Amino acid sequence: LSSGGTLTMYDVAVTGCASVGGGSVIEIGTGSTLTATDSIFSGNSSSGAMIIRAFMNGGSANFNRTVFSRNQSAFPIVQSDGARITISNSLIENNQATFGVILSNVNLTNCTLANNTASTILSTASAFNCVFSNNGTIDTGVNVRYSLLQTAYPGGGPGNIVGVPLFVNAGV
């Protein structure tokens, strides 16, 4: 998405895309806005960058009721380089980031993060009212509030509880 552009996606599936070299599957340029609602990002891969990357200086990405599933990247699945990225009411599951983080510089609200493989699940981010199950660690600088965590989070935050989520029909 070039600088200053706007893209709105409803009920769109971005699947099976591959980025090689230094590019991401989706790059949001300076001052651009991406909005995705009721969409799926699944089975994408990037060997030299992220799956979704937003650049600084007024750029933004908003994901609502979106699924991020089975994506593989050398770097974060979703990363902001100074832009504002929000993910709400979404599922982030079974993703893999080889060199670190699943989500970086992202604000999460009402999301479920399950079975993601990386040394760190969140870095420089915030999470409100989210469920975390079977993921990597959360950096201590992350603001986690009113969330269900599988293990105690040393960064603290009001309203957090520790327990194992009992997903209904988890095998289906």
Side-chain angles (χ1 to χ4, degrees):
L1 184 59
S2 65
S3 295
T6 299
L7 176 63
T8 302
M9 302 179 349
Y10 293 99
D11 196 24
V12 173
V14 178
T15 61
C17 297
S19 172
V20 294
S24 300
V25 172
I26 295 177
E27 292 195 349
I28 302 153
T30 301
S32 297
T33 300
L34 168 68
T35 302
T37 303
D38 297 327
S39 296
I40 298 171
F41 295 85
S42 179
N44 301 297
S45 65
S46 177
S47 62
M50 302 72 170
I51 300 298
I52 298 171
R53 181 179 183 196
F55 294 98
M56 61 184 101
N57 299 328
S60 66
N62 304 295
F63 301 93
N64 188 31
R65 298 187 309 268
T66 298
V67 175
F68 297 89
S69 178
R70 302 186 194 294
N71 297 293
Q72 294 182 337
S73 178
F75 299 100
I77 301 300
V78 179
Q79 177 171 318
S80 164
D81 289 336
R84 181 182 54 84
I85 297 180
T86 58
I87 303 174
S88 304
N89 309 305
S90 296
L91 173 63
I92 300 145
E93 56 99 20
N94 293 312
N95 297 289
Q96 180 180 3
T98 308
F99 295 114
V101 184
I102 296 293
L103 304 170
S104 179
N105 296 328
V106 175
N107 298 313
L108 302 168
T109 303
N110 303 328
C111 292
T112 298
L113 296 90
N115 303 316
N116 294 290
T117 304
S119 59
T120 306
I121 183 72
L122 290 176
S123 176
T124 317
S126 68
F128 177 79
N129 197 37
C130 293
V131 175
F132 294 87
S133 176
N134 196 29
N135 297 295
T137 62
I138 299 172
D139 275 357
T140 55
V142 174
N143 183 9
V144 179
R145 300 168 298 143
Y146 303 99
S147 295
L148 171 61
L149 302 157
Q150 210 163 348
T151 59
Y153 173 58
N160 291 330
I161 58 174
V162 175
V164 177
L166 302 175
F167 296 120
V168 176
N169 295 326
V172 177

